[in-house]
Amino acid sequence: MTDHDELLRRVAERALRESGGALPHATAEQIEQAEAALGFALPPLLSRLYQEVGNGGFGPDYRLLPLAGTDGRTAVSAYLAEHAPGRWPTGVLPILDWGCAMYAAVDCTDARAPVLLFEPNAVEDDWSAAWFEDADSLADWLQAWLSETGWYEEEVMLSEDFAGPQPWPPARQRLG
């Protein structure tokens, strides 16, 4: 049993309950094709989510984008469309579209797989100001979803202690 087995079990249970049925899973071949198209490997937990829980369609609010293999927009196609020097850093995969051009994205270049929030709506010219830390790791982000303590939860946003996601310190360097 790995550190993430119990977390994946809980995520799968909630995904099944909320979707009303089993979700299609990404295959190992689809993961390999996605990584080849992206030019970087997925963090192990993200790869397992797509292979063991579902190829998107679960998670907070608007739910995870499918990784690949569907006729619609995928995490791979969103990355290829958004990735641009000075705007979107290499190795940061959008996994959830919050709407209004906002994304949750996993930094696949960091072993912890931190989840970032891309919020470009108030940015005029410094794209580093659009990047925020959502969670220290993908595991923490999933735990926040399971426990309903993510910044996007209404009760959390209305709390007097709510400070919102904080700026992502490496943004300027990574966009350089």
Side-chain angles (χ1 to χ4, degrees), residues 8-176:
L8 285 165
R9 184 192 65 72
R10 291 177 50 225
V11 168
E13 282 179 359
R14 183 163 176 186
L16 180 64
R17 187 172 60 249
E18 290 184 358
S19 68
L23 296 167
H25 297 172
T27 65
E29 182 180 358
Q30 287 173 317
I31 299 289
E32 288 174 16
Q33 290 170 348
E35 290 175 336
L38 294 165
F40 54 85
L42 299 182
L45 179 55
L46 185 58
S47 180
R48 287 187 67 190
L49 275 174
Y50 281 118
Q51 291 182 81
E52 297 174 28
V53 177
N55 187 22
F58 65 93
D61 210 23
Y62 292 108
R63 304 175 188 267
L64 267 66
L65 293 167
L67 180 64
T70 67
D71 293 331
R73 200 170 77 155
T74 65
V76 171
S77 67
Y79 175 79
L80 295 174
E82 295 291 342
H83 180 242
R87 183 174 188 273
W88 193 282
T90 299
V92 176
L93 182 67
I95 60 167
L96 186 144
D97 184 339
W98 289 112
C100 299
M102 295 170 51
Y103 286 99
V106 175
D107 184 355
C108 298
T109 69
D110 185 326
R112 296 173 303 122
V115 177
L116 308 173
L117 171 64
F118 178 68
E119 207 296 60
N121 293 298
V123 174
E124 292 184 22
D125 59 354
D126 180 6
W127 287 103
S128 67
W131 290 96
F132 299 86
E133 294 179 328
D134 192 335
D136 286 337
S137 69
L138 179 57
D140 289 348
W141 189 75
L142 291 167
Q143 291 283 12
W145 172 57
L146 291 170
S147 64
E148 299 180 351
T149 58
W151 64 264
Y152 45 83
E153 297 288 346
E154 186 174 358
E155 279 188 31
V156 173
M157 283 192 286
L158 296 176
S159 165
E160 289 180 19
D161 300 329
F162 180 66
Q166 299 302 302
W168 183 42
R172 189 172 308 281
Q173 174 190 4
R174 290 283 300 276
L175 292 173

